[in-house]
Amino acid sequence: MGKIIALANQKGGVGKTTTAINLAASLASMKKKVLLVDADPQANASSGLGIDVREHKDSSIYQCFLDGANTADCICATSLKNLFVIPSHIDLVGVEVEMVDVPNREKVLKKVLDQVKDDYDYVLIDCSPSLGIITINSLTAADSVIIPVQCEYFALEGISKLINTIKIIKGNLNPDLQIEGFLLTMYDARLRLSNQVKEEVQKSFGQMVFKTLIQRNVKLGEAPSYGQPVLTYDGESKGAKNYLELAEELIKREKKTKKQS
């Protein structure tokens, strides 16, 4: 049975989509079958993996949400073996209003992913940078959530609001939802601020913080413009190595949890 992990932070620019793309690619390179669900109307996770969203206007996550499309019909292969995507589209912006009268509207994505999750080892959901209905759907469908935190000013701004949202969803919609971990992104060991943020996050969240640090890396920023994860764009780069480490850490954590249970 596939594990569904949402990547969420209502603060933009924290490396959420970068993490979704590159963690998915790294897991796929380790022979895990991975589905990346682009639940952000900006569709950056789709284009960052070389998917032309214009070609998938009628078979995107939007159709799954509102038209009852068969989930399997909306899944696209990527250039990487084992990595598949349900692309997004700008039409997704309207979902908030269009779903007002939909019964159990918070659980639509759960039903969509229940159709296919057993076909994958991991299903990653790239959430939009908000706490609207799409993100609530993503957290209701997920087994766990990774929260990227950038090592810059105002890093912890809004995290308490996200944690509160997670608690509400856990209490009302998805009692099994867990925080998979906090992921420090855009880390630069030379900067005092980066180290201060790292210490603050580790002090606040302890064992819930991933040991892997995603370092600031030019190649990570360049790769999406070529429609590639950093692993295929420059496999020797710091960014590629960091995300491979993160994938390894995630797999080890899961094995450890399974042993304990």
Side-chain angles (χ1 to χ4, degrees), residues 51-113:
I51 305 289
D52 185 343
V53 294
R54 292 167 300 183
E55 288 179 12
H56 298 277
K57 187 182 188 303
D58 298 322
S59 56
S60 72
I61 193 68
Y62 175 81
Q63 276 70 33
C64 295
F65 263 108
L66 282 159
D67 297 341
N70 186 311
T71 310
D73 293 341
C74 297
I75 294 172
C76 308
T78 69
S79 58
L80 271 80
K81 191 182 175 186
N82 297 323
L83 178 54
F84 301 83
V85 180
I86 298 180
S88 187
H89 192 272
I90 191 65
D91 288 351
L92 199 60
V93 166
V95 160
E96 201 87 25
V97 175
E98 292 173 75
M99 287 180 69
V100 164
D101 297 323
V102 173
N104 289 321
R105 63 191 191 127
E106 301 87 357
K107 295 185 177 180
V108 173
L109 187 58
K110 179 174 168 43
K111 288 178 186 169
V112 166
L113 296 182

Side-chain angles (χ1 to χ4, degrees), residues 2 18 52 105 115 139 142 157 169 191 196 226 252 256:
T18 299
D52 185 343
R105 63 191 191 127
Q115 295 176 37
L139 294 173
E157 190 184 72
I169 287 167
L191 300 178
Q196 283 174 342
Y226 292 90
K252 278 180 190 167
K256 192 177 173 184

